[in-house]
Amino acid sequence: MTLTLAEIKNKIRPTADFPKKGILFQDIFPIFEDPKATESLVEHIINHLKETGTKVDVVVGLDSRGFLLGPWLANKLSAAFVPVRKAGKLPPPCHKVGYTKEYGTDYFEISQTAIKPGQNVLVFDDLIATGGSAKAAGELIQLCGGKTVKYVFFVELTFLKGKDALDAPTFSLFQYDD
Ligand SMILES: O=P(O)(O)OC[C@H]1O[C@H](OP(=O)(O)OP(=O)(O)O)[C@H](O)[C@@H]1O
Ligand SMILES: Nc1ncnc2[nH]cnc12
Ligand SMILES: [Mg+2]
């Protein structure tokens, strides 16, 4: 039995002032404590992609929470999976970009050879806040010659307007507006 979006959203656990004062942290890990909820999450995403006829050659998952379902989605779409990793984790040659997220700054890297020029890429992550992380992933995909066709998240913090920074349409299952 597939869980409804409302049933899955109920499992997300908010914590005030984590990891920094002023941040309301939305913890998605309790969803994964329930295998049915996890499976339903995948089903809801795949149904949307099928309904919208999204053609995907490569799913790019963002280190680290984008690795939770990225390979699973790639498998369901018969697509490749490619990781974007935090700096220093992937062997060279890599492309590298710096970015700012809701509670810090970081660097992301991608293997220069993992995406072939012209491939259609879907970026997957658990959550979009300011959009800094997803935008950096889009820049890395451009450096590889790939074309980002969609950004997919479970959670969107709409009040931070992260999707305005992105170069392709976004899809999110759960929105929080404060
Ligand atoms: O839209 P933004 O403001 O860029 O924030 C969103 C990003 O922040 C979190 O990752 P984080 O870097 O905290 O690390 P993790 O995935 O390894 O937990 C989250 O998983 C997203 O990747
Ligand atoms: N408010 C938030 N909750 C969980 N993960 C996040 N990543 C960036 N902002 C976040
Ligand atoms: Mg992350």
Side-chain angles (χ1 to χ4, degrees):
M1 191 199 62
T2 305
L3 271 71
T4 65
L5 288 176
E7 286 169 326
I8 305 170
K9 191 178 186 186
N10 267 336
K11 295 178 182 288
I12 297 172
R13 193 182 297 145
T15 302
D17 297 326
F18 179 83
K20 286 185 176 167
K21 198 162 176 40
I23 303 291
L24 180 61
F25 190 84
Q26 302 289 354
D27 184 16
I28 50 92
F29 278 107
I31 298 173
F32 292 83
E33 293 167 11
D34 177 350
K36 281 278 170 222
T38 314
E39 206 176 326
S40 302
L41 195 54
V42 172
E43 255 181 73
H44 286 293
I45 295 171
I46 294 294
N47 285 346
H48 166 80
L49 295 173
K50 283 195 178 143
E51 279 161 23
T52 52
T54 311
K55 295 269 180 293
V56 178
D57 301 310
V58 180
V59 173
V60 161
L62 308 194
D63 188 354
S64 61
R65 285 179 251 160
F67 295 171
L68 293 165
L69 293 187
W72 190 345
L73 293 174
N75 179 272
K76 288 260 180 197
L77 296 168
S78 300
F81 175 77
V82 170
V84 157
R85 296 220 61 187
K86 292 185 181 155
K89 302 286 186 182
L90 286 171
C94 289
H95 294 298
K96 179 176 183 174
V97 298
Y99 63 95
T100 302
K101 61 184 168 185
E102 194 185 13
Y103 42 69
T105 58
D106 225 319
Y107 287 89
F108 265 159
E109 291 183 338
I110 195 166
S111 162
Q112 286 185 11
T113 55
I115 295 174
K116 311 290 172 275
Q119 282 191 310
N120 285 344
V121 181
L122 181 150
V123 173
F124 173 73
D125 204 0
D126 66 320
L127 177 146
I128 178 167
T130 65
S133 307
K135 180 167 185 271
E139 288 167 6
L140 289 170
I141 291 159
Q142 270 186 28
L143 288 169
C144 293
K147 177 178 169 20
T148 304
V149 292
K150 195 105 174 183
Y151 291 85
V152 174
F153 310 93
F154 332 151
V155 178
E156 179 180 357
L157 307 184
T158 47
F159 59 98
L160 293 174
K161 302 187 190 319
K163 70 177 172 194
D164 295 355
L166 305 181
D167 59 354
T170 62
F171 173 68
S172 60
L173 290 176
F174 313 118
Q175 295 79 32
Y176 293 89
D177 48 22
D178 57 11

